[in-house]
Amino acid sequence: MTVSRIGLVVHGGRPEAVAAARTVREWCDEHAVGCTDIDVWQEGARHSAREEVDSAGDPDLIVTLGGDGTFLRGARLAAENDALVLGVDLGRVGFLTEVPATAVRTALDAVRQERIDVESRMLLTMRASCRLEVPTQMEALLQCGRGPMLPPPRVRADCVVGDDWGVALDVTALNDIVVEKLARDRQVSVAVYLAGRLLASYSADALLVATPTGSTAYSFAAGGPVVSPRAEGLVFTPVAPHMVFNRSVVAAPDEPIALRVLERSGQAAVSIDGQLRGVLGPGDWIGVYAAPRRLKAVRLGPTDFYGRLRERMNLTDAPAALADGRAAPLWPVKTPRPGDLAHLALPPGAPDERS
């Protein structure tokens, strides 16, 4: 696979990320590959994904050095440029990142030699009843101790602004899109529509729509289900709702989810992958749906998602399950799978996966 230019997204607050970035630059020099740092804080302001990839010379591979937050920034850039993204794991949870810092060179060699898998991940986009903006006073408050905010989402030039269909916003989310309360003492009241039908009107701290990838992020913390990143669907999860029905709903990938702020509700914030991008008032709405573009994530081999889930979440076996016997083996099969199971995905390390 020809890689002509790499864009680097580095967590500058981690010395190990800075050191790994030097390794990437050295590898690029050795292989005559262009390399540009994509500084999301450049010149004291944040830029759109299009502006950032243009200034980086249209990289065809984005390498992120940090945790999942750094990966999310890189994923936004990669999706904009239809580029590959490789996440180097220097964070604390690491559901999104792929390789340890010590294996950076090995990973880059694998990309160059086409010894990789490219995993296609669902992304979210949205329409809204109005353009999203953050009030100036709120932006100044949120900047205390943090870097500049992302600019307001632009209107997608390739889409018609269709009256009751809303404004098509240039938004890409890998994890989730969230509508949440602004004041601690007041929940938001939001009507939730699935595939054009009213599900229910909620009074809650927040309401979120997540991808399968994002099911292990905010949605998981709010009690939502864990969904395989290989699955297709949208996960709706209410956060601290004041109602009996507090369950998540998993919608099909072609079923949009709309959230309308009700008349007597307070204002609501809209966050995209954890970044505040706008404020809605009573009567405003957003529609969230699967984006036509996909994220192309580099994988060096089959992803052991459930093994990572067990490790990252420190899952332990129930004492009652172990009281009368030994712990379960990691994978009990030691022979090649039969023909009728050949199409199934198996954990890495099964006998015929090693050959």
Side-chain angles (χ1 to χ4, degrees), residues 12 30 49 65 74-75 90 92 96 116 123 137 164 214-215 280 285 320 322 333:
E30 294 167 9
L65 303 164
L90 295 161
R92 298 179 178 87
L96 301 176
I116 61 171
L123 299 168
Q137 64 273 22
D164 52 353
S215 70
L280 301 177
W285 58 265
L322 302 179
V333 177

Short mmCIF file of all heavy atoms in Angstrom, two decimals, residues 12 30 49 65 74-75 90 92 96 116 123 137 164 214-215 280 285 320 322 333:
data_model
loop_
_atom_site.label_atom_id
_atom_site.label_comp_id
_atom_site.label_asym_id
_atom_site.label_seq_id
_atom_site.Cartn_x
_atom_site.Cartn_y
_atom_site.Cartn_z
N GLY A 12 0.51 16.17 23.06
CA GLY A 12 1.74 16.83 23.48
C GLY A 12 2.00 16.80 24.97
O GLY A 12 3.13 17.04 25.41
N GLU A 30 13.44 7.76 6.56
CA GLU A 30 14.11 6.57 6.01
C GLU A 30 13.41 6.04 4.76
O GLU A 30 14.06 5.44 3.89
CB GLU A 30 14.17 5.47 7.06
CG GLU A 30 15.05 5.81 8.26
CD GLU A 30 14.83 4.85 9.42
OE1 GLU A 30 14.11 3.83 9.22
OE2 GLU A 30 15.35 5.11 10.52
N ALA A 49 -11.95 20.25 10.00
CA ALA A 49 -11.18 19.10 9.54
C ALA A 49 -10.64 19.33 8.13
O ALA A 49 -9.49 18.97 7.82
CB ALA A 49 -12.05 17.84 9.57
N LEU A 65 -1.13 9.55 18.29
CA LEU A 65 -0.25 9.15 19.38
C LEU A 65 -0.82 9.70 20.67
O LEU A 65 -0.65 10.88 20.99
CB LEU A 65 1.17 9.66 19.14
CG LEU A 65 1.80 9.21 17.82
CD1 LEU A 65 3.01 10.05 17.48
CD2 LEU A 65 2.19 7.75 17.90
N GLY A 74 -8.00 12.39 15.39
CA GLY A 74 -7.44 11.89 14.15
C GLY A 74 -8.48 11.26 13.25
O GLY A 74 -8.41 11.39 12.02
N ALA A 75 -9.47 10.58 13.84
CA ALA A 75 -10.52 9.95 13.04
C ALA A 75 -11.33 11.00 12.28
O ALA A 75 -11.74 10.78 11.14
CB ALA A 75 -11.44 9.14 13.95
N LEU A 90 -1.49 5.09 23.90
CA LEU A 90 -0.76 5.70 25.01
C LEU A 90 -1.73 6.21 26.07
O LEU A 90 -1.38 7.04 26.90
CB LEU A 90 0.12 6.86 24.50
CG LEU A 90 1.25 6.44 23.56
CD1 LEU A 90 1.75 7.63 22.76
CD2 LEU A 90 2.39 5.82 24.34
N ARG A 92 -5.37 5.42 28.78
CA ARG A 92 -5.68 4.63 29.97
C ARG A 92 -6.73 3.55 29.71
O ARG A 92 -6.82 2.60 30.46
CB ARG A 92 -6.18 5.56 31.09
CG ARG A 92 -5.15 6.59 31.53
CD ARG A 92 -5.70 7.51 32.61
NE ARG A 92 -4.71 8.47 33.06
CZ ARG A 92 -4.50 9.65 32.51
NH1 ARG A 92 -5.21 9.99 31.45
NH2 ARG A 92 -3.58 10.46 32.98
N LEU A 96 -10.07 2.23 21.22
CA LEU A 96 -9.98 2.62 19.82
C LEU A 96 -8.59 2.43 19.24
O LEU A 96 -8.44 2.11 18.06
CB LEU A 96 -10.39 4.09 19.67
CG LEU A 96 -11.80 4.45 20.13
CD1 LEU A 96 -12.05 5.94 20.01
CD2 LEU A 96 -12.84 3.68 19.31
N ILE A 116 -1.91 -5.62 6.54
CA ILE A 116 -2.87 -5.07 7.48
C ILE A 116 -4.29 -5.43 7.08
O ILE A 116 -4.54 -5.85 5.95
CB ILE A 116 -2.76 -3.53 7.56
CG1 ILE A 116 -3.06 -2.91 6.19
CG2 ILE A 116 -1.40 -3.10 8.09
CD1 ILE A 116 -3.19 -1.40 6.20
N LEU A 123 -19.94 5.85 11.00
CA LEU A 123 -19.87 7.22 11.49
C LEU A 123 -21.27 7.82 11.52
O LEU A 123 -22.17 7.36 10.82
CB LEU A 123 -18.97 8.07 10.58
CG LEU A 123 -17.51 7.63 10.46
CD1 LEU A 123 -16.84 8.38 9.31
CD2 LEU A 123 -16.76 7.88 11.76
N GLN A 137 -20.33 34.03 25.50
CA GLN A 137 -20.06 33.97 26.94
C GLN A 137 -19.82 32.55 27.41
O GLN A 137 -19.00 32.31 28.31
CB GLN A 137 -21.20 34.62 27.74
CG GLN A 137 -22.55 33.93 27.62
CD GLN A 137 -23.37 34.42 26.44
OE1 GLN A 137 -22.82 34.97 25.48
NE2 GLN A 137 -24.69 34.27 26.51
N ASP A 164 -38.34 21.57 6.12
CA ASP A 164 -38.60 20.77 7.31
C ASP A 164 -37.62 19.62 7.47
O ASP A 164 -37.61 18.95 8.51
CB ASP A 164 -40.04 20.25 7.31
CG ASP A 164 -40.43 19.52 6.04
OD1 ASP A 164 -39.62 19.54 5.08
OD2 ASP A 164 -41.53 18.94 6.00
N GLY A 214 -18.93 3.69 19.65
CA GLY A 214 -19.14 4.55 20.81
C GLY A 214 -19.93 3.90 21.93
O GLY A 214 -20.13 4.51 22.98
N SER A 215 -20.37 2.66 21.74
CA SER A 215 -21.17 2.01 22.78
C SER A 215 -20.37 1.79 24.06
O SER A 215 -20.95 1.65 25.14
CB SER A 215 -21.73 0.68 22.28
OG SER A 215 -20.70 -0.30 22.14
N LEU A 280 -29.10 24.45 21.69
CA LEU A 280 -30.46 24.43 21.16
C LEU A 280 -31.41 25.07 22.15
O LEU A 280 -31.24 24.95 23.37
CB LEU A 280 -30.92 22.99 20.91
CG LEU A 280 -30.10 22.14 19.94
CD1 LEU A 280 -30.69 20.72 19.89
CD2 LEU A 280 -30.07 22.76 18.55
N TRP A 285 -34.38 21.22 17.01
CA TRP A 285 -34.22 19.76 16.93
C TRP A 285 -32.97 19.41 16.13
O TRP A 285 -32.45 20.21 15.36
CB TRP A 285 -35.45 19.10 16.30
CG TRP A 285 -35.80 19.59 14.91
CD1 TRP A 285 -36.69 20.57 14.59
CD2 TRP A 285 -35.25 19.13 13.67
NE1 TRP A 285 -36.75 20.77 13.23
CE2 TRP A 285 -35.87 19.88 12.63
CE3 TRP A 285 -34.32 18.17 13.32
CZ2 TRP A 285 -35.57 19.68 11.29
CZ3 TRP A 285 -34.01 17.97 11.98
CH2 TRP A 285 -34.64 18.72 10.98
N ALA A 320 -19.61 -17.48 42.54
CA ALA A 320 -20.47 -18.66 42.50
C ALA A 320 -20.18 -19.53 41.29
O ALA A 320 -20.33 -20.76 41.33
CB ALA A 320 -21.94 -18.22 42.49
N LEU A 322 -17.29 -20.04 40.02
CA LEU A 322 -16.00 -20.72 40.19
C LEU A 322 -15.97 -21.61 41.43
O LEU A 322 -14.98 -22.31 41.65
CB LEU A 322 -14.88 -19.68 40.30
CG LEU A 322 -14.73 -18.72 39.11
CD1 LEU A 322 -13.61 -17.74 39.36
CD2 LEU A 322 -14.50 -19.49 37.82
N VAL A 333 -11.23 -24.57 21.96
CA VAL A 333 -11.05 -25.31 20.72
C VAL A 333 -9.57 -25.39 20.35
O VAL A 333 -8.87 -24.38 20.34
CB VAL A 333 -11.84 -24.64 19.58
CG1 VAL A 333 -11.60 -25.36 18.26
CG2 VAL A 333 -13.33 -24.63 19.91
#
